[in-house]
Amino acid sequence: MLLRRRSISKIALGVAALLAPALLGTTATATAAPATGPDSRVAAPSTSSLTWQGCGGDLPATVECATIEVPLDHRRPGGRKIDVSLSRIKAADPAERRGVLLFNPGGPSGSGLFYPLALSGLLPQSVKDRYDLIGFDPRGVGASSPLACGTTTADERLTYRPFKDATFAKDVAWARDIADRCRDRNKETLRHITTRNTARDMDVIRAALGERRISYFGLSYGTYLGSVYTQLFPQRVDRFVLDSAVDPKRVWRSMAQSWAEQAEPAFDRWTDWTARHAARYGLGDTPAEVERLFWDIVARADREPLDLGGTRFDGAEVREYIRWEITHPSVAARTLGLLRDAVAGKPVPTFPTFVPTDNELASYLAIMCGDTRWPTDPAVYRADSRRDSVRYPLYGDSVSNIFPCAYWDRPVEAATKIDNKVPALIVQNAWDSQTPLAAAIGLHRALKGSRLVTVDEGQGHGVYSLGISACADEVTTRYLITGKLPSRDVTCAADPLPAADSRSASPGPATAPARLPFSGR
């Protein structure tokens, strides 16, 4: 499942690159029609049709592109405008067409322009028959008036940095410098790159498409964006699917800390699985032996970084790598075996790494820091990191350490409180440590009209159409087609996992861990 997710990522990068040049063409100005929800004060009265055109490059003619202008500050609709870029694949069966289905792939910072094309081979035909598939780059991302902070590869490789008393002063200086660079390069724009404004942009898109309501599929961070839309524009919601959920009460620092909390039980589960497959992997006959091998490797990498196919990894990077992989037991077990080989001086394949671009990091920070207020006293981060390095040794020190948000300007608006009865379907893997089941339960409580589909023993990040659970796929597709939610919450079984290691013929690591969690890629 992990490899399948990554295959979508590769499609995404290529398609996004092809889309960007073409999207610099025709621009339409559109504003949302008056809404009856609590955010109607930001809506302007007029709409304008979009001008669709071919996207160019090697993309098929079925994918069309357009660009609209939206207010930078929706509270001042007559002020400065920015671009938001869209793509579309029309409903395959005009006679069955229901409306539009917007997508957000997560992040925050994920480009959504590729999604209609990338998912077209995965979505059931019944969904493609009924919906125009609409992708868009959120404001500040990709082709939508992109942000840039002037960061370097060294800044970007470890966005969350392991805490050490000896390096904490350097981490503080790094966090302050990144915040200053982002502020200096983006002036007033930066403060308006928020989830609330992206949700408002979605309503502008709805109006420009001439639709009374929209349907939506949001993954990871996209679940929070979707829930904010339900709160601001409840009357504009048609069928919303929220996959791998964010708890709206924990945005954003607390949600980041949940990654460390949930990594610990996932790690214990993985060591147990690996010990039960000792005959295949030879990493230890008991969970304690597997765990001891891992931490011995981490200690060795802290003393002298490991050469992993030409890339050097210290102990913190080894911890983060395994943290991302442990919900896919055979993948993580194979990786641990390669780490052991590297310690022994044996040659190993290159370990792929995900290093965000300047735009990805800038737009990620804009949301993380601009949606909510973070602690401003470095002493808070020092104390939390010391505590969490003991509580959650796999990742606790990193996510509690100082972050650029400590030096960000105060948010222009308070975070959205999600509390409504808008119908929505939440789908969730039980063993997703990136957006854990506890977060999905939190979103379910906030969206009182929602139903929760839990995939028992479901592994990985993302459910729908990824081969995780035929049961969950069936429930989700039925909802998108009929609009009928299950009468109660549903627990689905996960599909049987392939035989160990059958996901890849490659002898090397299967994936690069996303340095920006919520990536959805």
Side-chain angles (χ1 to χ4, degrees), residues 42-80:
V42 306
S46 64
T47 64
S48 175
S49 61
L50 292 166
T51 300
W52 294 98
Q53 59 186 0
C55 298
D58 294 328
L59 293 180
T62 53
V63 185
E64 302 173 296
C65 294
T67 301
I68 60 173
E69 287 184 341
V70 299
L72 171 64
D73 183 351
H74 280 272
R75 298 169 302 176
R76 297 174 177 82
R80 179 183 166 188

Side-chain angles (χ1 to χ4, degrees), residues 161-352:
R161 301 188 164 210
F163 172 80
K164 297 179 183 177
D165 279 309
T167 59
F168 184 65
K170 291 182 180 179
D171 292 338
V172 170
W174 168 82
R176 186 190 298 272
D177 177 57
I178 295 294
D180 288 345
R181 275 190 265 172
C182 289
R183 185 182 303 108
D184 291 345
R185 284 166 173 78
N186 299 285
K187 305 301 180 186
E188 282 302 306
T189 302
L190 188 66
R191 303 179 70 229
H192 298 288
I193 308 299
T194 65
T195 299
R196 285 175 66 88
N197 278 331
T198 302
R200 291 161 177 154
D201 292 344
M202 285 171 55
D203 207 52
V204 172
I205 293 170
R206 175 203 58 75
L209 292 170
E211 299 290 333
R212 188 171 62 87
R213 296 190 295 172
I214 59 171
S215 295
Y216 174 80
F217 175 83
L219 175 66
S220 196
Y221 162 76
T223 66
Y224 180 62
L225 173 60
S227 69
V228 170
Y229 187 89
T230 69
Q231 191 69 33
L232 299 184
F233 302 101
Q235 302 303 317
R236 304 302 193 193
V237 173
D238 192 2
R239 300 166 186 180
F240 269 46
V241 175
L242 308 176
D243 187 334
S244 306
V246 169
D247 186 344
K249 288 187 176 181
R250 298 195 68 169
V251 295
W252 282 118
R253 186 170 186 245
S254 177
M255 192 67 204
Q257 289 171 317
S258 77
W259 307 328
E261 296 167 14
Q262 296 301 318
E264 296 303 319
F267 183 81
D268 291 343
R269 183 171 181 264
W270 170 70
T271 58
D272 178 72
W273 184 94
T274 304
R276 286 189 282 109
H277 292 81
R280 183 177 186 89
Y281 297 104
L283 300 172
D285 293 327
T286 66
E289 290 179 0
V290 177
E291 182 175 358
R292 183 163 57 250
L293 173 62
F294 171 74
W295 286 109
D296 285 348
I297 291 171
V298 169
R300 164 66 170 75
D302 275 334
R303 293 192 302 271
E304 181 181 353
L306 300 178
D307 184 347
L308 302 176
T311 303
R312 299 185 71 80
F313 278 63
D314 63 19
E317 291 171 303
V318 169
R319 286 190 280 132
E320 184 177 353
Y321 216 101
I322 288 293
R323 179 193 74 86
W324 184 261
E325 290 193 344
I326 52 180
T327 54
H328 305 272
S330 65
V331 174
R334 187 169 67 243
T335 296
L336 184 60
L338 292 171
L339 291 169
R340 182 183 56 186
D341 290 345
V343 169
K346 298 178 182 179
V348 298
T350 300
F351 273 45

Side-chain angles (χ1 to χ4, degrees), residues 10 17 25 131 148 151 169 180 186 193 198 230 234 309 331 345 349 351-352 361 384 386 417 420 429 472 494 498 507:
K10 292 176 182 177
Y131 292 97
T151 55
D180 288 345
N186 299 285
I193 308 299
T198 302
T230 69
V331 174
F351 273 45
L361 180 57
D384 287 355
R386 286 173 173 167
K417 180 181 179 181
N420 64 61
N429 281 323

